[in-house]
Amino acid sequence: MKIAPFLRATALVSAVAVLPIATSGLAAVDTRASHEFDKLFTIYEIVKDNYVDQVDDDKLLKGAIDGMLASLDPHSNYLDGPSLQRLETMIDGKYTGLGLSVIEDEGAVKIISPFKGSPAEKAGLKAGDYITHLDGVLYYERDLDEAVSKMRGAAGTSIRLTIFRKGRDAPFDVTVTRGVVELEPVTSELKDNVGVISVNEFSRDVGNDVNIALADLKKKAALKGGKLSGLVLDLRSNPGGSLDEAVALSDLFLEKGDIVSQRGRNASENQFYRAESMFKGDAAKNLPIVVLVDAGSASASEIVAGALQDQHRAVIMGERTFGKGSVQTFLPLDAKSAVKLTTARYYTPSGHSVQEGGITPDIKVPQLSDPDARARAERAVRESDLRGHLINEASLKDKDLETDKMDDPRFKVTAAELEKQGIKDFQLHYAISTLERTAGKPALAAATAKR
């Protein structure tokens, strides 16, 4: 059976990444493994004949496939039914529900991040929260797709979530009203003379949309009798998306040089992406740029942050990123099933692998305006926390991955004090303040060359 006719060339690098792969069919079975295949079939027959209840063939075969792929890494899996629908829904970017990115963590449902502007974010749900009950029903060691389906539903309907949050004495309930979750990939605003562009996902035309937003910010600043003094590119809680758009966004601010490389098992399949000045040079020429990242900035976000950091075009600020430096290939088997398989790692221009370690900011800034930030930082889920994750070839040490959980003596102000000052987003406030202090000094980005 050949799967090549079913391949679909859709390129994404995200928490659920997709890339095309060339193949002429199924790999030949190693003759040394033929005995193990015989063993697998023998066990199948034993279960069919002797299990206490009758077992459906599809259930046994799916279990065998799931086990095979789960033994590889957390991002390789078999997709059918609800799991395939969930991936397609995420790619489409529009559905009714809560707007949460979740994983299964030791049998529990854990929030990676709420989407910006979603019902979940408005209800106060945070990255690192555990969802223990849905409408009073315990969800532990159950199928994650079952929990996701339960949280989906018609806009206007509500669901009660029981939340366990590190730092709180006891679990608490949050009632969230479902809505249409349709992420705006790019939003922008002018703060004094500093432009703030938030990229929430890397969907189609993001590079062009950011270019348009930048031009609009320049016009707004001119109408106020001034000009842009700096730019904040906010990639926080951005799980990724299109590889092409990550390259396009990086190219928007780079005139030349490497952006990212993708390297697999066979050197002949390696790919290098370089700045081509598709936007006719650096669209923000002479403007200092701060890129904001956090533990929810993953994959395509890390490509952009890594490219601008290595090319000394921007100062990266915030918290260490998620650390997903692998590429998955989406291989449809038929109309109702597919395999998602890890096929490559990607590297920043300096040859740094993002896998496990992520992107370390040039200036570490915690989110002090969140009273639970310290506790959530200790519980933040990153790639290195996922069971069976790919190991970074540089053999990173655990202590090096824990430094972001340590208290920073530079920041002693409390969330309550910030609230009195009217500061709702300390990281953004710090980024804007940094740019304002360096107004007219484009050397801010170049300073990173000395780090």
Side-chain angles (χ1 to χ4, degrees), residues 70 72-74 104-107 383-390:
L72 302 175
D73 69 88
E104 181 182 343
D105 182 29
E106 300 295 338
E383 178 77 10
S384 57
D385 300 310
L386 301 183
R387 183 168 38 191
H389 65 270
L390 283 180

Side-chain angles (χ1 to χ4, degrees), residues 205-223:
D205 293 330
V206 158
N208 191 53
D209 289 346
V210 171
N211 192 31
I212 293 172
L214 179 58
D216 184 58
L217 289 169
K218 289 177 180 178
K219 290 179 182 177
K220 288 180 178 178
L223 289 174

Side-chain angles (χ1 to χ4, degrees), residues 235-238 292-298 317-322 382 427:
L235 301 181
R236 291 175 298 173
S237 299
N238 184 324
L292 277 180
V293 294
D294 63 10
S297 304
M317 186 180 292
E319 304 162 80
R320 181 168 62 88
T321 60
F322 186 80
R382 291 182 170 87
Q427 289 175 325

Side-chain angles (χ1 to χ4, degrees), residues 24-56:
S24 58
L26 294 177
V29 176
D30 190 331
T31 55
R32 293 172 295 180
S34 60
H35 175 68
E36 298 303 316
F37 278 99
D38 289 341
K39 185 187 296 184
L40 177 64
F41 187 72
T42 300
I43 293 173
Y44 161 80
E45 291 183 315
I46 290 173
V47 172
K48 285 284 292 182
D49 293 341
N50 298 283
Y51 188 67
V52 61
D53 294 321
Q54 285 191 342
V55 185
D56 183 75

Side-chain angles (χ1 to χ4, degrees), residues 95-326:
Y95 63 93
T96 56
L98 307 184
L100 284 171
S101 174
V102 297
I103 63 166
E104 181 182 343
D105 182 29
E106 300 295 338
V109 179
K110 190 170 187 177
I111 298 175
I112 293 293
S113 66
F115 299 141
K116 291 179 183 177
S118 67
E121 184 189 51
K122 294 175 182 176
L125 299 180
K126 307 286 187 181
D129 285 348
Y130 284 94
I131 301 173
T132 62
H133 296 73
L134 298 174
D135 280 336
V137 177
L138 176 65
Y139 272 76
Y140 178 72
E141 292 191 343
R142 297 174 70 162
D143 190 343
L144 182 63
D145 288 321
E146 183 181 349
V148 171
S149 296
K150 178 71 174 177
M151 288 187 278
R152 296 264 172 88
T157 61
S158 298
I159 185 170
R160 178 166 51 92
L161 311 181
T162 302
I163 303 296
F164 171 78
R165 179 176 295 168
K166 180 73 173 179
R168 297 290 183 94
D169 294 333
F172 58 94
D173 288 347
V174 177
T175 298
V176 187
T177 300
R178 299 178 180 92
V180 176
V181 179
E182 185 173 11
L183 292 178
E184 290 185 84
V186 177
T187 58
S188 63
E189 60 179 328
L190 187 66
K191 297 273 192 177
D192 296 326
N193 283 324
V194 174
V196 179
I197 299 179
S198 298
V199 180
N200 303 314
E201 61 175 355
F202 284 86
S203 56
R204 184 179 302 170
D205 293 330
V206 158
N208 191 53
D209 289 346
V210 171
N211 192 31
I212 293 172
L214 179 58
D216 184 58
L217 289 169
K218 289 177 180 178
K219 290 179 182 177
K220 288 180 178 178
L223 289 174
K224 292 175 61 178
K227 61 180 182 178
L228 283 185
S229 59
L231 177 67
V232 176
L233 184 63
D234 190 351
L235 301 181
R236 291 175 298 173
S237 299
N238 184 324
S242 167
L243 169 65
D244 288 341
E245 294 305 324
V247 171
L249 181 55
S250 302
D251 198 4
L252 181 63
F253 303 112
L254 296 173
E255 294 184 347
K256 60 182 179 179
D258 292 338
I259 292 175
V260 67
S261 61
Q262 171 189 319
R263 309 176 199 175
R265 187 167 65 184
N266 300 316
S268 60
E269 297 176 1
N270 294 347
Q271 296 186 49
F272 295 82
Y273 299 86
R274 297 180 174 88
E276 299 177 349
S277 294
M278 63 179 71
F279 296 99
K280 299 181 180 179
D282 182 353
K285 192 171 184 178
N286 296 326
L287 280 181
I289 300 175
V290 169
V291 177
L292 277 180
V293 294
D294 63 10
S297 304
S299 217
S301 298
E302 294 171 293
I303 286 176
V304 175
L308 298 185
Q309 184 181 57
D310 283 1
Q311 296 279 18
H312 311 303
R313 181 59 188 92
V315 170
I316 312 303
M317 186 180 292
E319 304 162 80
R320 181 168 62 88
T321 60
F322 186 80
K324 183 180 181 294
S326 62

